[in-house]
Amino acid sequence: MSGQQLRFMESDAVLVVDFDDVVLADAPSTSKRESHVFSPDAPRGILHRAFSVFLFDMSTSELLLQKRASTKITFPNVWTNTCCSHPLLGMDPPESELEMDVSSSSTTTTTTGGEGNNVRGVRNAAVRKLRHELGIHPSELSRECGARFKYLTRVHYWAADTVTHGTDSPWGEHEIDYILFVGVPDKGRVTLDDVNDDEVDEVRWVDRHRMREMFDDDGLLFSPWFRIIADRWLMGGGGWWDDLDRTMNTNDRCDHDTIHRFDPPPEHMGGAGDAGPLFLN
């Protein structure tokens, strides 16, 4: 693990939430490190808010994947969606707010063009991390450049990082994860010349056929949250990716009321807190 990774783990203040995704009044935040530690006292770490971005080239329906860097503390060397991270406390613009914003600013969520969602703070966090991890400038994600954001739903999941760190892994994830789709007119408008090698080892644009081939390759590892989202909603008959225009331009696929809850696959059970099923689904 790198020194930069350790600094972020200690300094970043993630938002602690209850099962209803309400930020706790008496302890609204904790360090990224503390929230991801699995132990007998906290078998699944500390539940916190997160987001997962899926960035699409709307002209080809290709999805941008990343392979997490080998220096990452949690879930290194796994393929996953475009960007996964956390809204943080004390950021400017703020990332803890979920109020509706009807302005036309390119740095906030609007209700025009079918976006119609109320996750301004999560969107601010996503724009920040897309620049930090992949070097994508916020201007390339603006409406003026033809980019569109779509908030689809939330997933509450947990997973011990036992594949990397062994059966007694002290690390894992326990998150309420906001799923954000971002569409750009074509991938040539997205600059990937400054990918942060402390965060990302590789990036790759894939279509649905190539994605299925990768899933079938036993030599590749994938993040558990990406597999859950892909298996449940992204791919297959009637999946979000099957009709991307409908997903991006209508609210037909949105579910902003439900928090969908999932236990991890068997290989991600356990960890230092010997965590078993939480939801029994």
Side-chain angles (χ1 to χ4, degrees):
M1 65 185 71
S2 71
Q4 184 182 81
Q5 290 287 336
L6 285 172
R7 287 193 298 274
F8 286 144
M9 290 290 275
E10 296 291 352
S11 64
D12 286 354
V14 301
L15 300 170
V16 179
V17 296
D18 63 17
F19 271 39
D20 294 320
D21 192 30
V22 176
V23 177
L24 299 187
D26 56 345
S29 70
T30 188
S31 72
K32 186 188 294 185
R33 179 187 180 92
E34 184 177 3
S35 69
H36 289 82
V37 170
F38 280 33
S39 68
D41 291 334
R44 300 177 189 86
I46 298 173
L47 180 61
H48 54 279
R49 188 174 290 161
F51 63 84
S52 289
V53 172
F54 293 71
L55 177 62
F56 290 93
D57 175 343
M58 295 300 293
S59 68
T60 64
S61 293
E62 290 175 296
L63 169 64
L64 181 63
L65 302 182
Q66 69 155 275
K67 184 180 181 183
R68 288 165 65 91
S70 60
T71 54
K72 295 284 283 186
I73 296 171
T74 58
F75 299 95
N77 299 309
V78 303
W79 284 96
T80 193
N81 47 281
T82 312
C83 180
C84 318
S85 194
H86 314 88
L88 302 178
L89 192 68
M91 301 301 290
D92 184 18
E95 298 178 1
S96 58
E97 299 178 3
L98 297 178
E99 291 86 1
M100 185 81 72
D101 180 7
V102 296
S103 76
S104 60
S105 168
S106 64
T107 61
T108 54
T109 301
T110 72
T111 61
T112 59
E115 293 182 20
N117 56 70
N118 60 346
V119 293
R120 176 174 57 183
V122 175
R123 187 186 187 280
N124 289 340
V127 170
R128 171 180 58 82
K129 284 300 290 185
L130 285 164
R131 184 170 193 178
H132 173 241
E133 292 191 3
L134 299 170
I136 301 174
H137 194 274
S139 64
E140 298 176 347
L141 302 173
S142 68
R143 291 185 63 84
E144 290 76 11
C145 285
R148 302 284 300 280
F149 277 74
K150 190 75 174 183
Y151 160 48
L152 292 168
T153 194
R154 290 171 291 176
V155 176
H156 179 179
Y157 79 96
W158 69 275
D161 193 4
T162 47
V163 173
T164 299
H165 296 286
T167 56
D168 295 326
S169 171
W171 301 107
E173 290 283 6
H174 190 189
E175 302 178 332
I176 292 182
D177 190 20
Y178 284 67
I179 312 303
L180 301 178
F181 272 26
V182 184
V184 294
D186 66 78
K187 56 182 173 288
R189 301 192 188 189
V190 175
T191 305
L192 296 172
D193 297 333
D194 194 24
V195 173
N196 185 345
D197 60 10
D198 201 52
E199 298 279 347
V200 179
D201 275 351
E202 186 178 343
V203 294
R204 183 182 298 178
W205 290 97
V206 299
D207 59 19
R208 284 174 291 170
H209 176 71
R210 179 61 180 135
M211 186 75 262
R212 291 189 181 96
E213 289 182 337
M214 291 178 68
F215 279 151
D216 291 338
D217 186 342
D218 292 336
L220 300 179
L221 297 174
F222 291 89
S223 70
W225 60 89
F226 182 44
R227 290 305 301 252
I228 288 170
I229 295 166
D231 292 343
R232 176 78 177 190
W233 293 290
L234 185 64
M235 304 179 70
W240 291 337
W241 202 351
D242 291 330
D243 190 345
L244 195 54
D245 283 336
R246 179 183 174 192
T247 300
M248 291 300 298
N249 294 309
T250 75
N251 289 327
D252 294 350
R253 307 293 176 81
C254 295
D255 184 353
H256 297 166
D257 296 324
T258 307
I259 301 175
H260 304 272
R261 307 187 197 273
F262 295 93
D263 287 311
E267 63 269 24
H268 288 290
M269 295 278 189
D274 195 25
L278 179 62
F279 306 120
L280 298 176
N281 58 349

